[in-house]
C-alpha cells in the first residue's frame, strides 16, 4: 500500500486508491486500456513499464493498487477468476512432497483444486476444523507449507480466529492464507491479524453486481508479492482490462453495500430463528454461534451470507429454493440482488462423499440490498 493512502479511511481508499485521473485527458475514472501491446521508444524503451498486457496493463494496475490499499498489503494481483488466483498461489508456494492444511468446510471449488489437481502434482493435504486450534495443530506436520483458512466459511459460516492460527502457522514455518471473500476487506483485514496472503473471488462482494468473474491475491510481504507477480505472468491467467475496470467500479460502493447487506441479513436471521420450519440458523452474528465472540473481535459486522437448515430434509430444502421468487435461484453470491441455493446439489456438489460434505437439508442465501420487508415476505412464503 502506498504511503499516500495509508492514513486514509477505508471508504476513501476504496474510491481513490489506484484511481488516478488520466494524465492525458483528466478523466477522473481510469480508462479501459483494451490493448495487447505497447509502442516502445527504441528497443527496450518502455513507457511506464508496459510492453504486453499479460505482463501488465494500466487498468489492471489501477485495480491491483486498489486491492493492496484495501487489504493493507504490499502487493495486489488480479486474476481471471478466484480459482486462477488460488492456482497461481499454490504453484508458487508449494512443490511436490509438500503438505497443506485445509478447512473441513472449504469452498467446493477450492477442495476440488486440492483433491483433483494439486494432489496429482505430489502435494498432499489434511482436513482440519480450523475453528479448533488443536485440530489445526494436529493436522500440521514437518512438510506443512500452507495453512488455508476461510472465515466466514462457505457454506457453513464457520469462524476461524485468524490471529491464533497465524501463531500456529509461524511456529510450523508455514504460510497462512485467508480466503476473505465472504467478509470483504471492509469487514475484515486478515493481513493485520497475521495472515501472509489474502485470497478473493472478486466475482462476489468486490465486484458486487453479478456481472464479472475475477480473483485476487494480496500479500503482506513485498518479496512474496514479486514472486507471485512472476508466476502470474508466467502462468498467464490475468484479469482482462474490462473485467478489471468493472471490479474497480464495484469496489467504489463496497462500504455502503456491505453495511446494507449486513443490516438486511441481521433482520432476516431474526425471522428465521423464530420460524417453525427452520431447525438451525448458521450466522456468526447470533450470540449462540460458536464463533460469535471471535467474529465480533475480528469483523466490523457479520456480513450478508446466511445458511439455515429446514424440517423435512433434502426435498424440503430444495422446495424452499424452488418456491422463492425475489430470491433468485442461482449460484455465486455477493451481488446487489438476493440469491438462494441448495449447496448439496449446487455449489458444493464437488464435495459429496468427502470429509467436506454439507448437510442435505441446508439452504444458503446471499442477502442483497433490496428492501428487507420484501425479502422477509418472500422467504416466509418460500418456507410455507
Amino acid at each position: 500500500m502506498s504511503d499516500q493512502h495509508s492514513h486514509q479511511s477505508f471508504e476513501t481508499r476504496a474510491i481513490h486508491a489506484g484511481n488516478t485521473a488520466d494524465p492525458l485527458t483528466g478523466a477522473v475514472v481510469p480508462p479501459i486500456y483494451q490493448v495487447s501491446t505497447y509502442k516502445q521508444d527504441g528497443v527496450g524503451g518502455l513507457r511506464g513499464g508496459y510492453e504486453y498486457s499479460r505482463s501488465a496493463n494500466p487498468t489492471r494496475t489501477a485495480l491491483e493498487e486498489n486491492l493492496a490499499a484495501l487489504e493493507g498489503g504490499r502487493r495486489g494481483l488480479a486474476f481471471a477468476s478466484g480459482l486462477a488466483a488460488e492456482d497461481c498461489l499454490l504453484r508458487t508456494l508449494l512443490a511436490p512432497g509438500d503438505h497443506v492444511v485445509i478447512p473441513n468446510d472449504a469452498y467446493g471449488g477450492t477442495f476440488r483444486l486440492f483433491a483433483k489437481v494439486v494432489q496429482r502434482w505430489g502435494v498432499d493435504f489434511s482436513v482440519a476444523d480450523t475453528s479448533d486450534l488443536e485440530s489445526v495443530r494436529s493436522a500440521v506436520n514437518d512438510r506443512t507449507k500452507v495453512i488455508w483458512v476461510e472465515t466466514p466459511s462457505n457454506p457453513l459460516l464457520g469462524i476461524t480466529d485468524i490471529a491464533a492460527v497465524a501463531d500456529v502457522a509461524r511456529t510450523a514455518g508455514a504460510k497462512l492464507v485467508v480466503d476473505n471473500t465472504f467478509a470483504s476487506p471492509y469487514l475484515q483485514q486478515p493481513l493485520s491479524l497475521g495472515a501472509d496472503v489474502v485470497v478473493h473471488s472478486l466475482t462476489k462482494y468486490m465486484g458486487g453486481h453479478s456481472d464479472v468473474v475475477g480473483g485476487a491475491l494480496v500479500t503482506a510481504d513485498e518479496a512474496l508479492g514479486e514472486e507471485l507477480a512472476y508466476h502470474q505472468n508466467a502462468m498467464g491467467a490475468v484479469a482482462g482490462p474490462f473485467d478489471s475496470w468493472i471490479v474497480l467500479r464495484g469496489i467504489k460502493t463496497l462500504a455502503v453495500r456491505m453495511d446494507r447487506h449486513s443490516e438486511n441479513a441481521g433482520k432476516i436471521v431474526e425471522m428465521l430463528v423464530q420460524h417453525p420450519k427452520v431447525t438451525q440458523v448458521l450466522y456468526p452474528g447470533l450470540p449462540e454461534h460458536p464463533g460469535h465472540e471471535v467474529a465480533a473481535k475480528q469483523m466490523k459486522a457479520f456480513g450478508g451470507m446466511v445458511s439455515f437448515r429446514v424440517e423435512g430434509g433434502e426435498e424440503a430444502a430444495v422446495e424452499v429454493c424452488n418456491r422463492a421468487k425475489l430470491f433468485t435461484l442461482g449460484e455465486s453470491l455477493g451481488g446487489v440482488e438476493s440469491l438462494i441455493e441448495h449447496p448439496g446439489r449446487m455449489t458444493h456438489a464437488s464435495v459429496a462423499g468427502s470429509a467436506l460434505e454439507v448437510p442435505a437439508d441446508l439452504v444458503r442465501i446471499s442477502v442483497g440490498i433490496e428492501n428487507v420487508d420484501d425479502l422477509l415476505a418472500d422467504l416466509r412464503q418460500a418456507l410455507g
Side-chain angles (χ1 to χ4, degrees), residues 16-84:
H16 292 285
N19 287 275
T20 312
D22 178 44
L24 185 64
T25 65
V28 297
V29 174
I32 301 169
Y33 284 91
Q34 195 65 48
V35 58
S36 61
T37 192
Y38 304 81
K39 181 182 186 297
Q40 299 188 17
D41 297 321
V43 175
L46 308 184
R47 300 185 190 183
Y50 296 103
E51 57 184 331
Y52 185 61
S53 276
R54 171 173 36 78
S55 304
N57 172 282
T59 315
R60 193 174 90 228
T61 297
L63 173 58
E64 291 178 337
E65 289 178 0
N66 185 274
L67 292 167
L70 294 190
E71 286 286 5
R74 301 301 304 172
R75 187 70 183 263
L77 299 164
F79 294 83
S81 70
L83 282 167

Side-chain angles (χ1 to χ4, degrees), residues 3-325:
D3 294 336
Q4 176 191 353
H5 298 291
S6 59
H7 67 284
Q8 294 171 342
S9 68
F10 182 93
E11 294 86 345
T12 302
R13 277 179 279 149
I15 293 168
H16 292 285
N19 287 275
T20 312
D22 178 44
L24 185 64
T25 65
V28 297
V29 174
I32 301 169
Y33 284 91
Q34 195 65 48
V35 58
S36 61
T37 192
Y38 304 81
K39 181 182 186 297
Q40 299 188 17
D41 297 321
V43 175
L46 308 184
R47 300 185 190 183
Y50 296 103
E51 57 184 331
Y52 185 61
S53 276
R54 171 173 36 78
S55 304
N57 172 282
T59 315
R60 193 174 90 228
T61 297
L63 173 58
E64 291 178 337
E65 289 178 0
N66 185 274
L67 292 167
L70 294 190
E71 286 286 5
R74 301 301 304 172
R75 187 70 183 263
L77 299 164
F79 294 83
S81 70
L83 282 167
E86 293 185 11
D87 186 41
C88 178
L89 177 61
L90 294 176
R91 290 173 195 265
T92 302
L93 295 181
L94 300 171
D98 289 344
H99 174 260
V100 183
V101 177
I102 68 168
N104 63 356
D105 53 353
Y107 162 56
T110 299
F111 173 77
R112 183 177 56 216
L113 181 61
F114 279 108
K116 304 297 184 185
V117 180
V118 180
Q119 197 170 38
R120 288 173 56 202
W121 186 49
V123 170
D124 65 333
F125 63 90
S126 299
V127 174
D129 175 358
T130 58
S131 68
D132 177 356
L133 282 182
E134 284 312 308
S135 178
V136 177
R137 286 192 188 100
S138 64
V140 169
N141 63 42
D142 59 4
R143 296 182 294 110
T144 303
K145 294 294 190 292
V146 171
I147 298 177
W148 194 281
V149 163
E150 274 180 35
T151 185
S153 68
N154 180 10
L156 299 180
L157 283 302
I159 298 295
T160 297
D161 188 327
I162 296 170
V165 177
D167 287 339
V168 175
R170 271 192 296 274
T171 301
K175 299 286 189 197
L176 174 60
V177 176
V178 177
D179 183 335
N180 203 27
T181 297
F182 265 30
S184 87
Y186 179 64
L187 299 184
Q188 183 170 267
Q189 304 264 312
L191 299 182
S192 70
L193 298 169
D196 295 289
V197 186
V198 169
V199 175
H200 280 285
S201 170
L202 297 175
T203 311
K204 314 302 193 298
Y205 286 109
M206 302 288 266
H209 294 77
S210 303
D211 55 9
V212 66
V213 172
L217 302 173
V218 182
T219 68
D221 177 67
E222 188 77 50
L224 177 57
E226 284 298 318
E227 198 177 350
L228 287 166
Y230 177 87
H231 282 86
Q232 179 194 39
N233 181 49
M235 295 168 69
V238 295
F242 183 66
D243 289 350
S244 297
W245 188 89
I246 287 284
V247 174
L248 261 178
R249 185 173 187 258
I251 284 173
K252 289 175 182 176
T253 58
L254 178 64
V256 292
R257 286 188 286 106
M258 293 310 297
D259 283 340
R260 177 61 72 86
H261 285 300
S262 299
E263 181 186 342
N264 280 358
K267 291 175 180 174
I268 284 170
V269 165
E270 286 177 19
M271 183 274 287
L272 291 172
V273 166
Q274 302 296 325
H275 200 284
K277 298 280 182 69
V278 175
T279 58
Q280 185 183 14
V281 181
L282 305 173
Y283 187 66
L286 285 170
E288 61 267 31
H289 187 289
H292 175 70
E293 287 184 17
V294 173
K297 178 182 70 174
Q298 69 188 19
M299 297 177 73
K300 181 174 182 176
F302 300 107
M305 297 304 299
V306 181
S307 289
F308 58 96
R309 302 175 71 172
V310 296
E311 267 184 6
E314 182 172 8
E315 293 309 316
V318 169
E319 270 309 299
V320 171
C321 294
N322 286 335
R323 281 197 297 263
K325 294 183 172 66

